[in-house]
DNA sequence: CTCCATAATACGTAAATTGGTATCAATATA
DNA sequence: TATATTGATACCAATTTACGTATTATGGAG
C-alpha cells in the first residue's frame, strides 16, 4: 500500500480542522472513511500523526512536520500542473529569436514587446545575426525563429514573407540628383557605389550587386562596411552614394537625401523563418502574434 | 480521476528510459499498462507529455517540465516521510533545556554534547534560569526539561533525583578552621555567613538558612549576591564564610579551603524535571540518555 | 450516574484500479 | 515484399479502494 494524494489531502484538512466530523463534511465524505484514511496513512508511515480521543484531536510533533510537508507536496503538484499546462499552451518557456540588424528599424522591438506582454511567462532570447547564421542556427536548434532577408532556403526551413521593401538611393544633400525625388539607377553611373561587405550579408549583397549590374554599375570593393549606419555616414561625408532599404529613410539622418528608384526589381523581401518540424505552440503563438511589420518612420 | 504517485513514478522512469518496453521491465510490469498509465495521466493533465511512435519516444516541452517537477514531488514525499519518521522517533526536532547555573560545574555540558552527537538532527536550545523560573517555563511549554535543585513541585511536573550533593563550608586559607578537614556548622558561630540572594534561588536559600538555624546561625542579609563565584571570591577576601555545594570545591580556586560538614542534612538534591504529560520521544530519549551526573573536579 | 459529543469499528457494496494476455498498427529494414 | 520492432488497443480477472450505514467505545459535563 502506498501513500496517495488523497490521503495527504484528507490529512491536511484534518490537521486544519482538528475535528473528524467537520473535516469529513468539508471533504464531502462521511466521518468513518476519514478515520480509515488517516489510520491507513499512519500504518503506512509507521508512526502516529494525530492523537485523538472523543474529546480532542491534536497533531503529534511528527504530524506537525508531516502536515507541513504534505501541504508543500500538494502545492507543488498543483503548480507543476499549471506550469506544464502553460508550457503546453505555449504560454511559458524559452523562445530564441534571431534577427538581422535592420529589423531594429522596423517595428520588431514593439511587436516583441507586445508578445512579451501577452505571454509574460515566455522568456524571449534575442540574437542579432545575419541571415546565413540564422539559417545555420535554426538547423542547429539554437534559435526557434529568425527574421531575415529573403534568400533561398534549405529543406526543413519554412518561411513567410512579411514585407516587401523598396530600395532607395542615398546621396548627399548637395548631390546633383538631390533635388529629384525619383531616379533610375543608371543615373548614378560614375558614382562610387558603396555596399557593405559581402561577408556580412552575402545574399543581400549579391542582390544589390545584380541590380547595379543591370544599370552597368559596379559596387566599390574597397570598403568593408558592417552596418547601414556606416554607409549613410559615408554618403553624408561625400565618399559616394548607395542603395539602401527605404526603412532607413527616416528623419534621424541629416545632410543626406533618399531618392525613390524606378526599377521594379529594386526591392527585397523581409521574411520570418522557422524549422518546419517545430510544432512548439509557443512558436505558433509568436508567428501568429506578429502580423505584418511596418517600417518605423 | 486524480493524478497518482504511481503515475508520476511510471512517467518518471519512462522519461528516463524513453522506451516503453524497457521502462515497463524496469517497473516490473508489462508494457500495455504502462501505455495506459501515461495515457491516463495525459488525459488528466489535458496535454501531451510525450511524443511517441514505434520508432521514437521523446518528451514534449511540457513533458520535460513536468518530469522535472514529478521528480521533485516524489523526492519531497520521500524526505517528508523520513523527516517525520525521525521526529516520531525523537531523532529530530527542537528540545528546550533549562538548567541552574551550577549545572555547568557538573557534567551537564558533556552529557548534552553526547546526546547531540547521538541525535544530530535534534536542536538543543539551552536556557540558564533558576529553579522557580524553570518550573514556570515548563508549565508554559517554554522548556521541555529542566535541571534544578530539588524543591516541592506542582501537579503535572515529574522529577527524578539525579544526584545528592553535600554542602561544604568555604573559608579563607588563613582561617582558624582551615586546617581541619571536617567541622560542624555550629563551629562557624560568630562568622559572617554569606549566602546569595533569596530572590535568586528561593528554595535553595531557604534550605541553607534552615540548616544554619539548627546551629543557631543567621545568614548575613547585607549581601545581594547572584552567583557562587561571587560568594567564593568574597570568602577569599576575608569578608566572611559560606556553605556551598561540594561541586564547587575544585582546584580552580586558590586561597580558599573547603571543609566537609558533619550534619547529615547538609546536602541537597539535583533533579531533572519535566511535564508529566509530555510524551515526546525526543524527551524520553534525553531523559534516558542522561544517567547519573558526576561532579567535575 | 446518565447523557452527549465524537471517534472507532464492523460490514457490505459499487466502482476503480491494476495488470495480465492477445492482438493490432505503423514503420523502418533486410 | 517480408520481417522485426515497438507502441496502442481490446478485453478480462483479481484486487483494492472508497464510501456509506449502523453501531460501538470513550470520556467529559451536567
Amino acid at each position: 500500500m502506498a501513500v496517495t494524494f488523497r490521503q495527504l489531502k484528507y490529512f491536511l484538512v484534518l490537521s486544519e480542522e482538528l475535528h473528524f466530523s467537520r473535516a469529513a463534511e468539508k471533504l464531502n465524505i462521511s466521518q468513518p472513511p476519514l478515520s480509515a484514511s488517516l489510520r491507513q496513512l499512519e500504518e503506512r508511515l509507521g508512526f502516529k500523526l494525530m492523537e485523538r480521543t472523543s474529546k480532542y484531536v491534536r497533531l503529534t510533533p511528527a504530524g506537525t512536520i508531516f502536515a507541513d510537508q504534505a501541504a508543500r507536496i500538494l502545492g507543488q503538484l498543483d503548480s507543476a500542473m499549471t506550469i506544464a499546462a502553460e508550457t503546453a499552451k505555449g504560454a511559458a518557456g524559452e523562445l530564441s529569436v534571431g534577427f538581422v540588424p535592420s529589423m531594429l528599424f522596423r517595428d520588431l522591438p514593439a511587436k516583441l514587446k507586445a508578445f512579451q506582454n501577452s505571454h509574460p511567462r515566455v522568456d524571449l532570447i534575442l540574437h542579432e545575426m545575419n541571415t546565413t547564421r540564422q539559417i545555420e542556427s535554426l538547423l542547429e536548434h539554437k534559435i526557434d525563429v529568425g527574421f531575415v532577408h529573403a534568400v533561398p532556403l534549405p529543406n526543413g526551413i519554412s518561411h513567410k514573407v512579411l514585407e516587401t521593401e523598396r530600395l532607395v538611393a542615398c546621396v548627399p544633400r548637395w548631390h546633383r540628383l538631390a533635388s529629384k525625388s525619383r531616379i533610375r539607377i543608371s543615373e548614378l553611373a560614375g558614382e562610387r557605389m558603396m555596399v557593405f561587405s559581402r561577408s556580412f550579408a552575402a545574399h543581400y549583397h549579391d542582390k544589390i550587386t545584380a541590380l547595379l549590374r543591370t544599370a552597368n554599375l559596379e559596387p566599390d570593393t574597397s570598403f568593408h562596411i558592417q552596418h547601414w549606419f556606416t554607409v549613410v555616414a559615408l554618403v553624408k561625408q561625400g565618399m559616394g552614394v548607395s542603395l539602401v532599404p527605404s526603412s532607413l529613410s527616416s528623419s534621424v539622418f541629416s545632410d543626406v537625401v533618399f531618392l525613390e528608384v524606378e526599377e521594379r526589381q529594386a526591392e527585397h523581401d523581409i521574411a520570418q523563418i522557422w524549422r518546419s518540424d517545430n510544432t512548439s505552440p509557443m512558436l505558433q503563438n509568436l508567428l501568429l502574434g506578429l502580423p505584418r511589420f511596418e517600417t518605423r518612420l
Side-chain angles (χ1 to χ4, degrees), chain A:
Chain A
M1 175 195 39
V3 176
T4 68
F5 282 113
R6 173 183 261 119
Q7 284 169 343
L8 296 187
K9 192 172 122 201
Y10 284 6
F11 170 55
L12 207 56
V13 172
L14 204 40
S15 76
E16 285 160 5
E17 292 293 329
L18 294 178
H19 192 287
F20 278 71
S21 305
R22 273 204 304 278
E25 190 177 0
K26 208 166 180 177
L27 290 164
N28 292 314
I29 61 174
S30 63
Q31 168 259 316
L34 183 56
S35 291
S37 168
L38 181 63
R39 181 174 43 73
Q40 287 168 3
L41 180 56
E42 287 176 333
E43 274 170 15
R44 170 64 187 78
L45 293 176
F47 51 87
K48 283 256 170 279
L49 293 167
M50 313 188 102
E51 284 180 73
R52 45 206 189 272
T53 70
S54 62
K55 287 300 143 184
Y56 62 85
V57 175
R58 73 168 77 106
L59 288 164
T60 63
T64 307
I65 303 287
F66 195 74
D68 194 65
Q69 297 291 309
R72 199 160 305 176
I73 289 170
L74 291 175
Q76 193 135 18
L77 175 65
D78 219 60
S79 81
M81 290 171 59
T82 307
I83 293 176
E86 283 186 343
T87 305
K89 281 188 310 190
E94 275 188 4
L95 205 57
S96 280
V97 179
F99 60 92
V100 293
S102 67
M103 290 309 291
L104 297 176
F105 298 109
R106 302 184 178 87
D107 58 354
L108 180 65
K111 282 290 181 354
L112 291 181
K113 194 166 283 185
F115 178 80
Q116 188 67 269
N117 286 339
S118 59
H119 299 76
R121 310 201 48 169
V122 173
D123 285 330
L124 286 178
I125 301 170
L126 304 182
H127 303 270
E128 174 179 324
M129 47 177 120
N130 67 41
T131 299
T132 310
R133 274 296 294 129
Q134 285 188 52
I135 295 171
E136 290 169 15
S137 294
L138 266 185
L139 293 172
E140 293 165 3
H141 288 70
K142 288 183 178 163
I143 64 174
D144 299 297
V145 60
F147 293 91
V148 300
H149 299 135
V151 299
L153 293 169
N155 276 343
I157 303 281
S158 300
H159 80 287
K160 178 185 163 197
V161 172
L162 295 174
E163 185 177 0
T164 296
E165 183 171 57
R166 294 294 296 171
L167 295 174
V168 295
C170 178
V171 303
R173 195 177 52 170
W174 43 259
H175 193 272
R176 61 181 164 95
L177 297 172
S179 61
K180 307 188 73 165
S181 66
R182 189 178 169 87
I183 63 172
R184 278 181 300 127
I185 293 176
S186 55
E187 293 182 65
L188 293 171
E191 305 279 345
R192 172 185 280 165
M193 179 60 62
M194 296 179 299
V195 179
F196 54 68
S197 283
R198 183 169 195 282
S199 63
F200 178 54
H203 293 286
Y204 196 44
H205 179 99
D206 294 347
K207 161 113 201 174
I208 290 182
T209 302
L211 191 59
L212 291 175
R213 286 200 177 128
T214 64
N216 277 316
L217 285 163
E218 277 293 326
D220 187 297
T221 58
S222 61
F223 290 96
H224 292 278
I225 305 171
Q226 296 259 329
H227 200 281
W228 285 118
F229 279 175
T230 314
V231 172
V232 175
L234 290 173
V235 168
K236 178 171 165 180
Q237 288 166 40
M239 300 295 285
V241 300
S242 188
L243 278 180
V244 303
S246 63
S247 61
L248 269 195
S249 55
S250 81
S251 54
V252 304
F253 300 110
S254 60
D255 301 328
V256 293
V257 176
F258 298 93
L259 312 172
E260 286 180 28
V261 164
E262 284 187 9
E263 280 83 350
R264 279 213 19 260
Q265 325 95 286
E267 61 186 25
H268 74 283
D269 292 336
I270 301 292
Q272 64 189 0
I273 60 177
W274 63 93
R275 281 190 309 283
S276 313
D277 65 358
N278 187 341
T279 56
S280 150
M282 231 176 349
L283 173 63
Q284 307 306 323
N285 288 345
L286 184 70
L287 296 182
L288 291 174
L290 298 181
R292 295 198 69 71
F293 279 81
E294 293 166 22
T295 300
R296 186 202 294 167
L297 290 181

